[in-house]
Every structure is written in structure tokens, then in C-alpha cells.
Amino acid sequence: MRNDITHDPGEGLSPTLERNIQALVERRRGEQRAASGQEKLADAITAFTGSMTFVYLHLALFGFWIIANLHWVPGIPVWDESFVVLAMIASVEAIFLSTFVLISQNRMTAAADKRADLDLQISLLAEHELTKVARLLTQIAERLDVKPDSKRELEEAARDIAPERVLDKLEETRKG
């Protein structure tokens, strides 16, 4: 009998895994749709400025600017001999580009924080459920008079973990 966890290797992914992947894809699409026009613009600019097309465009424009103002292009009058205008343009562009990158990075960080919270919640739920399973197994073993190889480890697995205590201990070790 087939269930959501097992699958035929010839079929590819299990239905549960396919459902989970689809849910994640839909969630990301929803987050993209919910982004404001300004955030979408910042993401588009960041994507373009992070491309090789942007690099080539700048090589061409700045390269032409430099060689033209070095008197290397006949027939083109010099308009920025000291390159002050070029430096100003590059500086203003850098200010705006870094702002767009920070806007996009803030959105990505917020999304990553949501995923980390979800991961933590799922891990805590799994730990809680496994603790219940360990307790049940201990009770079954006792009833059937089965002696586990390591009773101490089974008892340890059956104890609840307080997540706040784990966080406190992690913070203590970082400080020390």
C-alpha cells in the first residue's frame, strides 16, 4: 500500500514533497506580488547592476569618456579634462546603487528571517513529537519486557527540551 511518504522510484518525488515544493513556490510568488512598486524597482535595478551587461555598459561608457578626454579620439572635443565630472557621476551612481542593493538586501533578509523562524518551529515540533515517540517506545519496551541497549540514552530522548534554555545556554557560551 502506498502513502504520501513512500513512492515508486520511477515516479520521482513523493506527493508530499511535491506539495511542499509547490507551497514554497507559491509563497515566494505571493511575496513577490505583495512587494511594493518601489521594492520591485529596487530589485530590478539591483538585478541589472549585478549583471555582466551592466559591467560591459560601464566599460564602454567610462572607457569612451576617458579616451575621449585624453585627446585620443580625433574630432571629439574634450569636455572633462580633469575627470571631475566623471568622478562626480560615478560617486552619485555608487550612492544610488548601494541604496538599491540595501533595499533588496533588507527584503531578502526579512524573507530569510521568516524561513528561519519556520525552520525553528518545525524543528521544535519535530523534537516534541520525537520525545512523545521515545516515551511511547519506552512504555512498549517495558510492557514487552525488552531491555534497550542504552536505557540512559532512551530516557534522555524521552525528556522534553526547553527551547528557551537552549537559547540561554548558547548565549552563555558566546559570551564566555
Side-chain angles (χ1 to χ4, degrees):
M1 174 178 219
R2 185 172 182 269
N3 63 36
D4 281 353
I5 296 173
T6 62
H7 69 280
D8 182 338
E11 290 182 358
L13 303 177
S14 72
T16 301
L17 189 52
E18 287 178 7
R19 182 188 57 80
N20 291 347
I21 290 169
Q22 191 60 38
L24 290 173
V25 167
E26 287 303 317
R27 172 62 60 123
R28 287 199 178 152
R29 285 182 185 151
E31 289 172 355
Q32 288 172 346
R33 283 190 302 271
S36 70
Q38 293 173 348
E39 291 171 328
K40 290 176 183 178
L41 177 63
D43 287 344
I45 291 170
T46 300
F48 175 67
T49 59
S51 70
M52 287 306 293
T53 302
F54 182 78
V55 172
Y56 298 142
L57 181 64
H58 275 71
L59 280 173
L61 291 174
F62 287 175
F64 175 75
W65 188 297
I66 292 168
I67 63 171
N69 285 288
L70 289 173
H71 306 279
W72 293 357
V73 181
I76 303 281
V78 173
W79 67 90
D80 186 21
E81 200 161 348
S82 65
F83 298 105
V84 171
V85 176
L86 178 63
M88 182 196 63
I89 290 170
S91 296
V92 170
E93 179 185 51
I95 290 167
F96 281 103
L97 291 180
S98 62
T99 302
F100 290 129
V101 167
L102 289 172
I103 291 167
S104 294
Q105 191 172 23
N106 287 342
R107 284 192 57 233
M108 290 188 305
T109 299
D113 287 346
K114 286 180 188 177
R115 286 190 294 275
D117 288 345
L118 177 62
D119 286 345
L120 176 60
Q121 292 301 321
I122 290 171
S123 294
L124 291 172
L125 180 61
E127 188 279 328
H128 179 71
E129 290 172 348
L130 287 173
T131 299
K132 287 181 177 180
V133 170
R135 283 186 191 143
L136 182 60
L137 285 174
T138 301
Q139 291 170 353
I140 291 170
E142 287 172 358
R143 187 165 199 143
L144 296 175
D145 199 29
V146 174
K147 305 292 185 230
D149 291 338
S150 177
K151 185 172 180 163
R152 186 181 59 79
E153 288 178 3
L154 190 56
E155 289 171 351
E156 184 178 323
R159 283 189 296 168
D160 279 319
I161 303 293
E164 60 277 359
R165 181 63 190 121
V166 173
L167 290 172
D168 291 344
K169 189 67 174 174
L170 288 171
E171 288 175 11
E172 286 174 20
T173 58
R174 285 187 190 136
K175 292 176 185 175

